[in-house]
Amino acid sequence: MKVNKTILIGIIFILLAGAILITDIFNPIIRPITYLFLMGSSKGKDIIFFGLLGLFLILSQIIKKDIDTTKYLKISIVLGTVILTLGILLEVIFRMQMGIGLNTVFCSMTNGMSSTSILHTHLLKSILGAVLTQIMGPFIQSNINTGVGLYQYVPSFAFLVILLLPILFATIVLSMQKRPWFTNFLMAFFSSCLFIGIIDGGMFATPSYVGILGLFLVYRNGFYLNYIVGKILRDENLLEENEAIQPVYRNRGFSEIRYIFNRFGIYFFVILVIFLRFTIAFAGAEPDYYTVDIVNASENIDFGNISMDVINHDSNSNKTTYHVDPNYNEMQLINDLKVPLRNSCEYYTITWNAYSYLD
């Protein structure tokens, strides 16, 4: 694959992102595919994903520098992990400031419904959403959730985290210089997933796992991936370009423990994070009932078929606490509550119940 072809493919992906923005005709084809690695694909995620994918491919060819690409790839992996960790810290600080539980989903009902939780954070997304709304508000369709409803609640230090995103973008572009086309495409794909995970979901989101693990896969085994694909496709140019790249990892007489850590450490880390996600989800679950706190609610809200038992009303904070039948599926309950509470309260929180997804 020559340089001009890589740029052409990048342009096609950017045009595809634009087409998804203005029309829904591609949704039946694209959505089932992107759903697999974007953790519940949506129109907004698809637009950002294909736009980033095309941009990474183009910039990897336009910018030419004689640099240590392996060093910048390692920096990208570390920086991406730091940003994901800061995203979780941001959620914790946000909840401490708001006085709400760690095991709750926070749903803002101003400027449309926007939700966030430690298991699936949207706080960083709300900052970017607010910026995009200012720049191109009239062009953003109503079915694209920008998360701006959360913007007013975001802790101030979140802006410092956002400033790390351009740095991460730059290190990734530098790490893609002069790479064979196959690993170049893989890096563009994994990097796009990583940015989706950072913006929409955080550390415990599927795109974050795909992004970090995928970049590490290229870092450790890029040479062998190019070699295998080159042999299968009989791509002599790919094999020739790959010869200039030496395997990153060599056995330098390390102890067995050091060998295992160097070779498989990142995979153990990802498995640990996945295990931590499910541990938090089930340990923080409230299986006996859902606790719903509604703040600054209008009078006489009609909840329809949802059985809401009033437990307490705090007149000082204008917060009413309800208990709801635990047989409800968590996601279904959140979606059902947003109908009667639209324009009827400032925000509400709901305890999560991971067990409801097992029914």
Side-chain angles (χ1 to χ4, degrees):
M1 179 178 290
K2 295 184 182 301
V3 169
N4 59 342
K5 291 183 180 179
T6 300
I7 294 177
L8 177 60
I9 292 174
I11 293 173
I12 291 173
F13 280 130
I14 291 178
L15 292 176
L16 178 58
I20 296 173
L21 174 63
I22 62 178
T23 181
D24 293 330
I25 61 174
F26 295 107
N27 288 356
I29 302 173
I30 293 174
R31 195 63 51 78
I33 300 173
T34 55
Y35 183 92
L36 299 175
F37 53 86
L38 294 185
M39 192 177 183
S41 179
S42 63
K43 190 180 185 75
K45 286 183 182 179
D46 290 344
I47 294 169
I48 296 173
F49 173 76
F50 286 109
L52 283 174
L53 184 58
L55 191 58
F56 278 126
L57 288 174
I58 293 172
L59 292 178
S60 70
Q61 306 303 312
I62 291 179
I63 302 175
K64 294 295 184 181
K65 287 186 174 293
D66 187 13
I67 56 175
D68 184 353
T69 58
T70 300
K71 179 183 72 173
Y72 283 100
L73 180 52
K74 288 191 288 186
I75 292 174
S76 300
I77 295 171
V78 172
L79 186 56
T81 303
V82 168
I83 295 174
L84 290 171
T85 304
L86 289 175
I88 297 299
L89 179 61
L90 184 64
E91 275 282 346
V92 173
I93 293 175
F94 156 71
R95 290 165 185 281
M96 293 174 62
Q97 291 179 348
M98 295 291 293
I100 59 179
L102 296 177
N103 65 330
T104 61
V105 180
F106 177 92
C107 300
S108 170
M109 300 306 292
T110 56
N111 296 319
M113 179 186 173
S114 302
S115 64
T116 188
S117 72
I118 287 178
L119 296 178
H120 196 90
T121 179
H122 290 144
L123 294 183
L124 295 179
K125 172 185 177 181
S126 69
I127 299 176
L128 296 177
V131 173
L132 288 175
T133 301
Q134 291 293 324
I135 297 174
M136 51 181 297
F139 301 99
I140 300 177
Q141 298 175 10
S142 58
N143 60 339
I144 298 178
N145 189 344
T146 59
V148 292
L150 298 169
Y151 180 69
Q152 60 183 310
Y153 304 106
V154 175
S156 57
F157 99 93
F159 293 92
L160 298 177
V161 180
I162 288 294
L163 292 177
L164 294 176
L165 293 181
I167 300 175
L168 175 62
F169 184 90
T171 60
I172 289 175
V173 171
L174 291 174
S175 69
M176 294 176 66
Q177 303 305 304
K178 298 181 179 179
R179 290 184 180 270
W181 70 262
F182 182 66
T183 45
N184 196 45
F185 180 83
L186 285 180
M187 287 189 62
F189 173 82
F190 293 134
S191 299
S192 300
C193 289
L194 177 58
F195 271 88
I196 294 291
I198 290 172
I199 296 169
D200 194 331
M203 177 182 287
F204 299 121
T206 300
S208 301
Y209 302 146
V210 174
I212 290 293
L213 190 58
L215 289 178
F216 185 80
L217 178 67
V218 173
Y219 168 67
R220 281 294 187 193
N221 300 303
F223 174 86
Y224 303 105
L225 293 173
N226 287 321
Y227 180 79
I228 293 171
V229 172
K231 284 294 186 181
I232 293 175
L233 299 180
R234 297 181 180 178
D235 189 333
E236 296 299 329
N237 289 332
L238 175 59
L239 293 173
E240 183 178 347
E241 290 178 4
N242 195 45
E243 284 302 314
I245 302 175
Q246 294 301 316
V248 172
Y249 181 79
R250 287 189 177 92
N251 187 355
R252 300 176 180 174
F254 292 140
S255 67
E256 184 176 353
I257 294 178
R258 179 71 180 275
Y259 171 85
I260 293 175
F261 177 80
N262 281 5
R263 192 67 175 171
F264 303 106
I266 187 65
Y267 303 105
F268 293 150
F269 173 75
V270 171
I271 292 172
L272 177 63
V273 172
I274 295 174
F275 176 77
L276 181 62
R277 184 198 192 284
F278 284 101
T279 299
I280 292 174
F282 284 98
E286 196 170 274
D288 296 332
Y289 47 77
Y290 291 98
T291 299
V292 179
D293 289 330
I294 303 177
V295 175
N296 292 331
S298 304
E299 295 183 0
N300 303 319
I301 299 176
D302 182 9
F303 291 103
N305 295 326
I306 306 175
S307 178
M308 307 278 286
D309 297 326
V310 178
I311 303 302
N312 183 53
H313 177 74
D314 186 346
S315 57
N316 293 326
S317 61
N318 197 21
K319 179 178 70 175
T320 305
T321 301
Y322 300 83
H323 281 174
V324 182
D325 189 335
N327 291 321
Y328 244 106
N329 175 271
E330 179 189 317
M331 186 56 64
Q332 184 65 44
L333 178 57
I334 292 174
N335 288 331
D336 287 351
L337 282 173
K338 74 179 182 182
V339 176
L341 293 179
R342 182 181 291 116
N343 301 321
S344 297
C345 72
E346 179 183 348
Y347 68 83
Y348 73 92
T349 65
I350 175 174
T351 53
W352 69 57
N353 181 10
Y355 295 98
S356 68
Y357 295 100
L358 301 179
D359 296 335

